[in-house]
Amino acid sequence: MSLTLSSLCLAEVTTSQAEFLVYAKEKVNKAIKGGEVWDGPTTGPNIVRSKNIIFVASDLRNGGVYGVGKGMSEAIAHLDWHLRFIDGLGSAVRQGAGIRKAIGFQPDAIVLGGLDAQRHKDILLEAKRRGIIVIGWHATELAGGNSEIGLYMNITTDPLDVAEVAALLAIVDSEGQANTLIFTDPNYKIASIKADAMAKTISRCEGCELLEINALPLDEIAEKMPNAFNTLWNKYDKKITHILAINDLYIDYAIPSLESNAARTIPLPQNISAGDGSKAAYKRIHNNKFQFATVPEPLYLQGWQITDELNRAFHKLPPSGYSAPVHIVTPDNIGELITRQKSGIYDPKNGYREAYLKIWKPQ
């Protein structure tokens, strides 16, 4: 499993620039090749029969939430479980009502697709009191369980690892001379965690400079990004070599400004997203236009993992502890993703489906 930023803090941080660049290149190359070999669980309990699961989605229009739900549907098609969906439609009120509605059906388990578990902890604790297993996807900032809010397990790629690899790519691409701007949303703890991790990684590079962390809320990007971009560009006198953003949306709304600079033959920064992996981002990377890289989640795999973690919970066993390794999509590997993955979703070809089926239904 790949090394996270939190563990790096315990490592030697006074190595020379050359040694650090060697480390950065190794970490980036590993992330580019990531997911080729299954490194998840290979043992576990046989599948429990006849379970009813309700997937409460933050918003099924969200590609990530939809992809995880589709992965679960695919996995459960091999079982005799029943899966039902409740859509929160992007409203915290409707999401809370959706959880209450799910509890009313008395299911064996509830899956939170992109909901903030902390916000709904009182309802989740009621589910726990009723013996309902609750598993989240992106329901808290980090992977792992939280019994205090009634969460058996939260599934996500390690955000510290995602942030570190995104920043390391900027360092490697610039040969240790990156002048970096970071975009984040101060309203979300996970966004601040990722931005701080990217900043700390850049600070480890002796020849690099962190120009600024720009706090631009996601719900204000469409309105404020053009002015924010132009102000920052003028402020740093075209010094910016790399832009790091917590997700692809920041790059989406920077495109008009980037196109304007390109028309004036102004050198453009390399843009890297520490999250998402949207179809628009893949297209930009494939066309080598306005985006250099993104870090996607293996959504279908995570849907299968949720199913496996539920089965472990039904057996009253601890979670597997697995977290998918970080994978970064760049011009070096985008061609394979475009040609092999017609869905536009990063789906590692490492045999995870077969591995889980072997655990559940051993021959």
Side-chain angles (χ1 to χ4, degrees):
M1 196 170 293
S2 52
L3 193 66
T4 64
L5 190 65
S6 53
S7 59
L8 282 173
C9 294
L10 301 176
E12 182 63 52
V13 295
T14 58
T15 56
S16 70
Q17 175 78 337
E19 290 173 320
F20 176 68
L21 283 175
V22 169
Y23 163 78
K25 290 176 181 178
E26 289 177 350
K27 189 74 181 277
V28 167
N29 287 335
K30 182 179 179 180
I32 289 174
K33 297 177 181 178
E36 293 180 347
V37 178
W38 175 239
D39 63 346
T42 56
T43 61
N46 293 353
I47 203 71
V48 177
R49 301 186 63 80
S50 303
K51 293 297 180 180
N52 291 306
I53 317 297
I54 298 180
F55 187 106
V56 182
S58 59
D59 191 335
L60 283 172
R61 295 169 296 185
N62 178 289
V65 175
Y66 178 83
V68 171
K70 187 174 180 180
M72 273 199 74
S73 297
E74 182 187 85
I76 286 175
H78 296 270
L79 313 175
D80 68 344
W81 293 8
H82 177 71
L83 178 64
R84 179 183 306 183
F85 288 86
I86 296 177
D87 192 352
L89 297 170
S91 163
V93 173
R94 290 184 176 181
Q95 292 162 6
I99 299 173
R100 290 189 183 91
K101 183 177 180 180
I103 291 173
F105 286 121
Q106 299 182 339
D108 297 293
I110 294 172
V111 176
L112 306 178
L115 276 71
D116 183 343
Q118 189 66 43
R119 173 177 289 179
H120 302 290
K121 66 178 181 179
D122 292 339
I123 316 171
L124 299 181
L125 287 172
E126 175 60 25
K128 182 179 179 181
R129 283 191 289 272
R130 297 191 184 197
I132 300 171
I133 304 299
V134 180
I135 283 185
W137 177 82
H138 286 212
T140 59
E141 291 82 15
L142 302 174
N146 187 332
S147 61
E148 293 182 359
I149 57 175
L151 197 64
Y152 170 80
M153 176 69 177
N154 180 58
I155 292 173
T156 179
T157 300
D158 185 345
L160 296 175
D161 210 10
V162 169
E164 188 207 9
V165 165
L168 287 176
L169 178 61
I171 293 168
V172 170
D173 181 61
S174 66
E175 290 293 334
Q177 300 295 318
N179 296 319
T180 307
L181 180 69
I182 296 174
F183 279 105
T184 189
D185 186 337
N187 296 322
Y188 291 92
K189 186 176 180 180
I190 184 62
S192 297
I193 288 173
K194 288 166 74 173
D196 183 58
M198 288 189 284
K200 287 179 179 178
T201 302
I202 294 295
S203 71
R204 296 186 62 216
C205 172
E206 295 175 7
C208 300
E209 182 178 354
L210 174 62
L211 301 174
E212 186 173 316
I213 298 179
N214 190 270
L216 181 58
L218 286 162
D219 59 2
E220 298 178 12
I221 293 178
E223 176 187 357
K224 295 186 175 180
M225 175 56 91
N227 184 62
F229 185 94
N230 292 334
T231 298
L232 291 165
W233 198 256
N234 292 330
K235 179 179 179 179
Y236 293 106
D237 192 27
K238 309 176 183 60
K239 187 179 180 181
I240 306 165
T241 64
H242 291 77
I243 291 176
L244 297 171
I246 59 161
N247 64 29
D248 292 322
L249 280 174
Y250 288 91
I251 302 173
D252 290 344
Y253 287 102
I255 296 301
S257 299
L258 293 166
E259 288 177 333
S260 176
N261 282 4
R264 291 182 289 159
T265 66
I266 296 174
L268 301 181
Q270 293 282 39
N271 302 305
I272 301 169
S273 165
D276 282 358
S278 67
K279 289 184 180 180
Y282 291 151
K283 183 177 181 180
R284 289 191 291 263
I285 296 168
H286 187 247
N287 293 336
N288 195 25
K289 196 171 185 179
F290 304 128
Q291 187 160 352
F292 183 49
T294 188
V295 184
E297 293 270 33
L299 302 173
Y300 296 159
L301 184 159
Q302 290 171 332
W304 280 71
Q305 183 185 352
I306 290 170
T307 307
D308 182 67
E309 303 293 359
L310 285 172
N311 189 52
R312 292 170 192 269
F314 294 145
H315 280 277
K316 302 187 183 305
L317 295 173
S320 71
Y322 179 65
S323 181
V326 65
H327 177 64
I328 193 162
V329 176
T330 73
D332 289 336
N333 60 6
I334 186 65
E336 181 179 4
L337 188 147
I338 292 292
T339 56
R340 285 199 326 188
Q341 324 236 28
K342 304 300 183 184
S343 64
I345 290 177
Y346 163 57
D347 188 22
K349 304 302 179 184
N350 56 17
Y352 69 85
R353 292 175 174 86
E354 294 78 8
Y356 278 126
L357 288 174
K358 188 173 181 179
I359 292 173
W360 304 337
K361 300 179 178 181
Q363 301 300 315

